[in-house]
Amino acid sequence: MQRTIAPHVHAQLVAACCGDEEIAAEIADVLTPEQRAGLSALPDPLPLVPGIRAVVGAALSRSDLRILLIAAVCVDDRVDVLLEAGGTTMTGLMDSAAGSVLSLVAGRFWYADPRVRIYVHESADLAARTAVHRTLQAVYEARGEAERALWHRALGCMQGDGALARPLLRLSAQALDAGQADRAYAIAREAASHADAPDVDAARIAAGRAALSGGWLDDAVAWLTPVMAGAHPDASAAQALSIATMLRYGAAPSAIEDERDAADRDLLAGHWAGIDASIPEDIDPNAAPLRAALRAALGGDVTEGLRILAVVTAPPHATAQSASHGVAHGPLLRAHREVLAALLRTWHGELGEARAALERAASAVPLALPFCGLAIRLARRLELACDGRSGELSAALEAVSPLPRMQARPVERAIAAYLSGRSDEASVHLGIWAERTARGIDIGLPGLDEVGPLEVPVQVQPPDAAHAGALRRQIRAVGVGAAGAALDDIAEEARSIRSPFERGRIEALLGIVALTRGEAAAATRHLRASIGMLADAGADAWRCAVEARLVKLGELPVIDVRTPTTPIQICATDPLGVCRSAWQPMLTARELEIAMLIAEGASNRDIAERLHLSVRTIEVHAGRVFRKFDVRTRGELTALAHRTNQHG
């Protein structure tokens, strides 16, 4: 049966199975749905499935199995510790079957095949594992390594020991500060199993913070909720639980009223409304790199925002504020950084690189969680811009998103329709989008303003992107009937746009207007400029749509057009097919229909009968077409249509 699994969980399983997809799938089948989705931590070691038994076999002696069990549970990977705990020498280890299973380099060891570790650990009984932990405890105590001895002492206990809880919690905090969320979570859970009443809540908070840092939201909520339900709710637990529940369910729990860190919480959870105004200008990038990078980008310096995300690393010890949130600098925060970096690359016009970065990050961190699923929407827009259709990454992330799926995707549908030459359909979808989001504030993603309503919802985006969108709407508002100087002024102003994607779309729209005006040379110039810019941005679907127009102008051989989608269909039986496709972005569906019938020589009465409309309605639509194209008669409109068409 097909299982839904998060990309980073799938990558982790495949790596643990030496690339064996079949065994990874077998393990996935026995995991819980929450573990497959990355909402709950994977067991360590992973379950021993029949596929691993068949591959590993049982051709190992008891002494080999003991050495390998020590290697499987040892808190570090030093060969000298392994030899001492196993009571053997390097020569003895190298000559044994265990030596052939382990890789030994520069005083370190690791399993050459991680599946063997699963087999060895899960094949051993509790008594054997307990004995090995006690042996390792003794080795570390003799070496004066108290922290490592503490861990093995805790695992070697047959029953809880309250004296171990607080030292384990300190050890967990150190691991969390170091960004080792998985280890911090394991230690905190062990502390919880030993904790007496005074330390139970502290252990729960530590486990919840570590789980949140790792992106295991269900685990975080499960650990932190009892703390808030107790007699003495904890402020740090409230903040961590607030973030976890907002990421998991899209809203903070009503019981939490502490708003002291609302700005940070909202940024992590993805509530963008007013975030540009709420972020102060004097932010320390070392203490708050996400906020500093976003502030820089929204202030107009996207390059500086990318620099902050690229070079700023978390301090050796997490600040009190980050520790209270429970995110430190583990996988969850890294996922936020990756998503924000991809967004900034998109704003910078590097759509191809933004998409590649998201694909790489998806295999390493819980990418579906940050900013209320922003990576899903961003991936879908990037896939459309690059391929002309939604792809595997956005589908995989959406499948494991803890938030409800978005049923309506009008902007995505509009982009797909526009790139396929269906401008009227795209305009309808954009109208729906504008109606649904007009009162809200949305994050600025690669959208579509070449068609549809001129008034669009407010978006959180850099000035460069906002300026580019305004110029495109200005081109459409000016129309083809305006003096050429007006469009020349817009073209000159567009030179200030830094994003090659945004600038390329402006040039494409200028080319469409020039084509509609019958100015083939200007149209070719703008369209060719657009192709180069869109290619630089990695927006191949947009580039191919523009190339298709040059094909029809006779300025580009058909063989050069490698279109991921099917833009601007040319029908051989349509004598004005080139004109129709050129006029599509400029007219409504009804106006285009009437304009083409006029160009074909039909009278207003003929058109009214064919479309089942009144003659007066036809006259009204025709008048609008005349005004848009700055023509006064049906004859002038017909001449313009054939002049536009002959350039193909």
Side-chain angles (χ1 to χ4, degrees):
M1 180 171 56
Q2 186 70 28
R3 299 288 191 184
T4 299
I5 184 168
H8 69 288
V9 175
H10 175 260
Q12 188 175 346
L13 294 182
V14 171
C17 297
C18 283
D20 192 323
E21 293 274 2
E22 291 186 5
I23 293 181
E26 192 177 352
I27 293 175
D29 282 342
V30 300
L31 297 176
T32 67
E34 293 76 19
Q35 288 171 333
R36 289 193 294 270
L39 298 175
S40 185
L42 294 177
D44 182 35
L46 292 168
L48 178 57
V49 295
I52 293 180
R53 290 186 183 275
V55 170
V56 176
L60 294 169
S61 67
R62 293 186 63 181
S63 59
D64 288 327
L65 287 172
R66 184 173 184 277
I67 287 288
L68 292 174
L69 183 58
I70 294 171
V73 304
C74 189
V75 75
D76 65 20
D77 58 358
R78 288 179 292 171
V79 172
D80 57 338
V81 172
L82 177 64
L83 296 176
E84 185 175 349
T88 186
T89 63
M90 177 61 78
T91 300
L93 178 60
M94 295 293 292
D95 291 341
S96 68
S100 64
V101 170
L102 299 173
S103 292
L104 308 168
V105 178
R108 302 288 175 176
F109 71 84
W110 64 89
Y111 274 88
D113 185 338
R115 293 173 296 184
V116 179
R117 177 176 180 267
I118 297 173
Y119 174 85
V120 168
H121 188 280
E122 296 301 278
S123 296
D125 58 25
L126 178 61
R129 291 197 295 268
T130 299
V132 164
H133 281 297
R134 288 175 175 171
T135 298
L136 285 166
Q137 174 193 345
V139 169
Y140 284 120
E141 286 177 344
R143 290 167 172 257
E145 299 181 30
E147 291 180 351
R148 290 181 170 86
L150 171 67
W151 173 245
H152 288 291
R153 176 186 170 188
L155 292 176
C157 288
M158 299 301 293
Q159 57 185 9
D161 183 349
L164 297 176
R166 293 186 182 182
L168 284 171
L169 291 177
R170 288 193 292 270
L171 194 60
S172 175
Q174 293 172 10
L176 188 60
D177 287 350
Q180 301 169 351
D182 51 352
R183 176 154 176 75
Y185 187 32
I187 297 173
R189 284 181 294 174
E190 186 64 25
S193 71
H194 290 277
D196 294 329
D199 299 317
V200 168
D201 276 356
R204 288 171 173 166
I205 294 171
R209 287 173 47 212
L212 176 59
S213 180
W216 306 303
L217 302 183
D218 281 3
D219 290 356
V221 171
W223 282 105
L224 295 169
T225 299
V227 178
M228 298 307 301
H232 304 287
D234 181 87
S236 64
Q239 294 162 8
L241 181 58
S242 177
I243 293 175
T245 51
M246 290 186 79
L247 290 169
R248 178 64 176 86
Y249 303 107
S254 57
I256 296 180
E257 299 177 355
D258 189 341
E259 297 295 330
R260 287 178 297 174
D261 297 294
D264 285 341
R265 185 202 65 194
D266 287 351
L267 178 58
L268 285 172
H271 288 244
W272 295 92
I275 196 70
D276 54 334
S278 68
I279 301 179
E281 295 184 7
D282 54 341
I283 305 172
D284 179 3
N286 290 285
L290 294 181
R291 300 176 71 194
L294 184 58
R295 161 61 75 183
L298 293 176
D301 197 344
V302 179
T303 301
E304 173 62 11
L306 287 169
R307 187 199 67 79
I308 292 172
L309 293 177
V311 305
V312 175
T313 57
H317 298 288
T319 63
Q321 186 179 33
S322 67
S324 70
H325 287 162
V327 295
H329 47 284
L332 180 61
L333 189 55
R334 291 200 299 272
H336 278 78
R337 287 189 182 186
E338 292 289 354
V339 174
L340 187 55
L343 177 65
L344 265 58
R345 288 190 183 97
T346 302
W347 284 343
H348 203 246
E350 303 170 4
L351 275 69
E353 176 54 33
R355 179 189 181 186
L358 280 180
E359 290 176 341
R360 291 192 297 268
S363 297
V365 293
L367 213 60
L369 302 183
F371 308 119
C372 290
L374 175 62
I376 302 169
R377 290 172 283 149
L378 178 57
R380 192 181 296 124
R381 299 289 181 89
L382 293 173
E383 290 162 351
L384 283 168
C386 296
D387 296 337
R389 58 184 179 273
S390 297
E392 295 181 359
L393 177 59
S394 61
L397 293 176
E398 185 174 37
V400 297
S401 172
L403 299 177
R405 297 189 182 187
M406 295 178 293
Q407 298 299 323
R409 304 171 184 168
V411 177
E412 284 83 359
R413 294 191 183 106
I415 295 171
Y418 182 78
L419 294 177
S420 296
R422 305 189 306 276
S423 298
D424 53 346
E425 179 185 332
S427 182
V428 171
H429 289 308
L430 288 176
I432 294 173
W433 169 67
E435 291 173 1
R436 291 179 178 176
T437 59
R439 296 183 180 179
I441 299 179
D442 196 13
I443 189 68
L445 299 177
L448 181 69
D449 46 30
E450 284 80 349
V451 296
L454 291 175
E455 295 296 327
V456 297
V458 177
Q459 291 189 298
V460 177
Q461 59 186 346
D464 193 55
H467 187 199
L471 287 179
R472 286 191 292 270
R473 292 189 293 275
Q474 188 177 344
I475 293 169
R476 293 175 53 209
V478 167
V480 297
L487 294 174
D488 291 341
D489 290 343
I490 295 175
E492 181 63 28
E493 187 176 351
R495 294 178 181 273
S496 64
I497 301 299
R498 288 170 288 182
S499 164
F501 177 65
E502 299 291 353
R503 173 77 186 282
R505 290 170 58 192
I506 293 174
E507 292 292 336
L509 191 55
L510 286 169
I512 291 172
V513 172
L515 179 62
T516 305
R517 292 163 63 96
E519 301 169 357
T524 300
R525 183 174 66 253
H526 286 299
L527 293 176
R528 284 192 177 277
S530 173
I531 287 174
M533 295 171 186
L534 294 173
D536 290 343
D540 289 340
W542 285 85
R543 171 185 59 79
C544 289
V546 176
E547 285 180 345
R549 293 191 179 277
L550 281 177
V551 168
K552 290 185 295 180
L553 278 168
E555 298 292 334
L556 194 69
V558 176
I559 192 173
D560 285 347
V561 182
R562 297 173 294 277
T563 312
T565 180
T566 54
I568 314 174
Q569 298 298 319
I570 305 173
C571 179
T573 61
D574 185 353
L576 291 174
V578 174
C579 176
R580 183 185 300 278
S581 62
W583 284 4
Q584 271 184 333
M586 313 304 298
L587 304 174
T588 67
R590 182 64 76 186
E591 289 169 353
L592 178 64
E593 191 174 23
I594 292 172
M596 298 311 299
L597 289 172
I598 292 174
E600 292 172 5
S603 67
N604 284 354
R605 184 170 298 279
D606 292 338
I607 297 172
E609 291 177 355
R610 183 181 302 189
L611 301 182
H612 305 290
L613 298 172
S614 69
V615 173
R616 177 56 184 159
T617 299
I618 301 302
E619 291 173 348
V620 170
H621 283 298
R624 291 172 180 167
V625 172
F626 290 174
R627 286 192 295 274
K628 287 184 178 181
F629 288 166
D630 194 27
V631 298
R632 291 170 295 180
T633 66
R634 296 164 58 86
E636 289 181 2
L637 180 66
T638 301
L640 175 62
H642 285 276
R643 186 170 65 248
T644 301
N645 200 69
Q646 72 182 3
H647 295 305

